[in-house]
Amino acid sequence: MTATVVLGAQWGDEGKGKVTDFFASSADYVVRFQGGNNAGHTIVVGDEKLALSLIPSGVLYSDCVPVIGSGCVIDIGFLKQEIEMLHSKNVSTKKLAISPNAHVVMPYHKLLDELIEENLGENKIGTTKKGIGPCYADKIQRSGIRIQDLLDDDVFAQKVKTNVEEKNQLLTKIYGREPLDHDEIINEFKAYKDIIKNHMKDTSLMISNAIKEGRTILFEGAQGTLLDIDHGTYPFVTSSNTSSGNAAIGSGVGPLNLNKIVGVTKAYISRVGSGPFITEQENEIGDYLIEKGAEFGVVTGRRRRCGWLDLISLKYSVRVNSLTELFITKLDVLSGLEEIKLGVGYKTAEEVITDYPYQQSIFYDAEPVYETFEGWSEDITSVTNFDELPDNAKKYINAIENFIEIPITFISVGPERNQNIVINND
């Protein structure tokens, strides 16, 4: 049995879509364990680009079962659109399995997400306004609506009425908006019952049985470690646990079943939205990385902030996730730069820190400490062997590996499925 977790080691947008697709080609199940349609990943197949947000990338393989686990929150209207998009590309979704315990993003969640963000003004988080945070808040408050509730008309109607009554107090008295009509919402969701009937399965039991049978399971994370609600750059984080521990919780299997945890990082670093970013380059280097790396959000289209790879935060991701190996993406984007830098410390007024700070204020006061490397000009997009890389590229990769103390086993040198270097990996 192989149960592999693939997750982002930065602030998301590391190229996980390509990486999960790479592993999904040999997986029997691909399981999404957290998040919603606030995260997107792009998979390039020949001249075709497929942008997925909810459905796991395993859907592209006819022998693979894509699973949306209990740790996810689901906008069913969006899910319907994604299913229809895949059908238009002749991709079957017949095997898609959805946990009955996953929570449903309701219309009032999306409206409140937008209003809360607007009300924060200059202190806004940079949310995608997809209703993810308010949905998780209702889940924790024990007033959420789950996938299984949609199959019981009385239960669903009662929960919607109760929630709308509460939300209308906020909408009318705090935000000065018109109240929502609970009957309209109930009627809207009647159209989604067939989707639930066709795809709702006991996914915890399904995955557990597959593990007993020795099947290959891939657990697919959304966003990235530095956006984890507990371990990220709070409050500029997402609303769920994006780190590897949640792969077990968000899919309903025991943690001892996980035997391989692969972190994904770019050869540089980026983030979308607000929040601290010590190695950010608000200059021609940042512009170069954004343009050459096509750094625009899959879901929002927003221009990403870019900077040099931060090894302090990467080493932190190794620690909190128990990463067993690293997959580096977009090394080809660095080709053409005269010099390349790696962040190896944070300099405060008192000292140079080489471990991730535990106090939030340090992120705003510290300056980066860099190690500088000579760049390379060669086109590496057709390289398939590590030894064929330019010497300066190899020195750069080796420096990363030495600092984080886990093996780098894969390097992506282009967006296509087959543009990868595999290093000492079976």
Side-chain angles (χ1 to χ4, degrees):
M1 178 274 296
T2 300
T4 300
V5 182
V6 171
L7 46 77
Q10 301 174 323
W11 283 295
D13 308 311
E14 300 95 346
K16 293 185 301 298
K18 173 180 174 174
V19 177
T20 53
D21 178 60
F22 178 84
F23 284 101
S25 63
S26 58
D28 298 306
Y29 294 78
V30 177
V31 184
R32 173 82 179 274
F33 60 85
Q34 54 80 213
N37 63 314
N38 56 332
H41 51 262
T42 302
I43 300 167
V44 180
V45 185
D47 295 330
E48 187 88 64
K49 280 188 177 182
L50 288 178
L52 297 173
S53 292
L54 268 176
I55 299 176
S57 54
V59 73
L60 299 179
Y61 297 93
S62 59
D63 294 333
C64 185
V65 179
V67 178
I68 301 178
S70 59
C72 296
V73 294
I74 302 174
D75 181 332
I76 304 180
F78 182 90
L79 176 65
K80 182 174 182 289
Q81 294 174 14
E82 197 158 81
I83 288 172
E84 291 170 349
M85 180 275 291
L86 287 167
H87 289 174
S88 73
K89 306 289 186 183
N90 296 317
V91 177
S92 173
T93 58
K94 185 177 181 180
K95 291 186 176 182
L96 174 66
I98 301 174
S99 169
N101 294 335
H103 278 246
V104 180
V105 177
M106 301 298 292
Y108 47 79
H109 291 141
K110 291 186 277 189
L111 179 56
L112 284 170
D113 201 2
E114 182 178 343
L115 293 173
I116 292 168
E117 183 76 348
E118 288 177 359
N119 196 55
L120 288 172
E122 293 182 357
N123 297 317
K124 64 182 180 180
I125 303 298
T127 172
T128 57
K129 303 178 184 178
K130 302 291 184 181
I132 308 302
C135 184
Y136 274 115
D138 276 3
K139 174 180 177 177
I140 299 303
Q141 193 173 280
R142 300 182 297 279
S143 60
I145 294 175
R146 299 189 295 177
I147 286 292
Q148 59 182 286
D149 295 331
L150 272 72
L151 298 184
D152 188 318
D153 291 340
D154 292 337
V155 168
F156 180 69
Q158 183 57 52
K159 287 192 173 186
V160 171
K161 288 176 183 177
T162 300
N163 281 335
V164 168
E165 184 177 329
E166 179 202 352
K167 307 306 180 191
N168 279 343
Q169 296 293 312
L170 289 171
L171 291 172
T172 59
K173 295 180 180 179
I174 302 298
Y175 297 108
R177 294 298 185 99
E178 292 295 315
L180 297 173
D181 186 327
H182 57 74
D183 285 330
E184 287 184 8
I185 296 174
I186 292 168
N187 289 330
E188 174 190 343
F189 276 77
K190 287 179 179 178
Y192 302 142
K193 286 185 71 173
D194 283 345
I195 293 177
I196 304 308
K197 286 179 180 178
N198 292 336
H199 297 290
M200 191 177 83
K201 301 284 190 304
D202 186 343
T203 54
S204 172
L205 180 62
M206 175 189 291
I207 300 164
S208 295
N209 286 339
I211 289 171
K212 289 178 182 178
E213 294 166 4
R215 302 294 184 89
T216 300
I217 319 293
L218 176 65
F219 296 89
E220 174 186 47
Q223 287 95 22
T225 302
L226 300 182
L227 292 177
D228 187 284
I229 188 69
D230 286 310
H231 304 294
T233 50
Y234 190 89
F236 302 99
V237 292
T238 194
S239 303
S240 59
N241 289 110
T242 59
S243 47
S244 62
N246 199 29
I249 296 169
S251 57
V253 300
L256 290 179
N257 290 303
L258 310 178
N259 54 19
K260 192 174 184 181
I261 304 174
V262 181
V264 185
T265 181
K266 286 175 183 164
Y268 49 100
I269 193 169
S270 70
R271 82 173 297 173
V272 172
S274 306
F277 186 171
I278 290 181
T279 61
E280 182 176 9
Q281 297 297 297
E282 296 181 276
N283 50 33
E284 67 279 1
I285 295 296
D287 292 339
Y288 177 92
L289 295 173
I290 290 167
E291 295 303 321
K292 189 171 180 183
E295 295 295 347
F296 300 92
V298 175
V299 172
T300 64
R302 288 182 293 181
R303 178 183 170 105
R304 296 175 184 139
R305 302 155 60 193
C306 287
W308 298 120
L309 182 59
D310 179 354
L311 294 186
I312 303 302
S313 65
L314 187 56
K315 185 171 69 171
Y316 174 71
S317 289
V318 171
R319 170 160 57 91
V320 299
N321 290 303
S322 293
L323 296 184
T324 58
E325 58 196 89
L326 195 69
F327 195 131
I328 292 184
T329 64
K330 293 195 172 185
L331 182 65
D332 54 298
V333 173
L334 299 183
S335 295
L337 291 171
E338 290 186 7
E339 66 176 26
I340 301 167
K341 296 182 180 182
L342 286 174
V344 295
Y346 300 159
K347 184 178 181 180
T348 70
E350 293 81 23
E351 59 182 333
V352 173
I353 297 172
T354 56
D355 284 309
Y356 201 69
Y358 59 86
Q359 191 173 358
Q360 185 75 16
S361 60
I362 291 175
F363 290 109
Y364 297 96
D365 299 332
E367 296 290 332
V369 177
Y370 290 119
E371 185 174 346
T372 302
F373 298 81
E374 292 184 16
W376 62 89
S377 58
E378 296 92 333
D379 179 359
I380 63 171
T381 56
S382 60
V383 173
T384 58
N385 187 294
F386 183 77
D387 291 335
E388 297 171 1
L389 284 172
D391 287 343
N392 288 342
K394 287 187 283 188
K395 289 177 183 177
Y396 182 72
I397 294 297
N398 288 334
I400 297 170
E401 188 174 68
N402 290 336
F403 194 96
I404 62 174
E405 298 180 321
I406 63 167
I408 294 168
T409 51
F410 303 92
I411 302 171
S412 170
V413 292
E416 294 284 347
R417 279 175 165 177
N418 60 352
Q419 288 181 292
N420 300 304
I421 297 170
V422 181
I423 310 170
N424 298 326
N425 192 292
D426 297 330

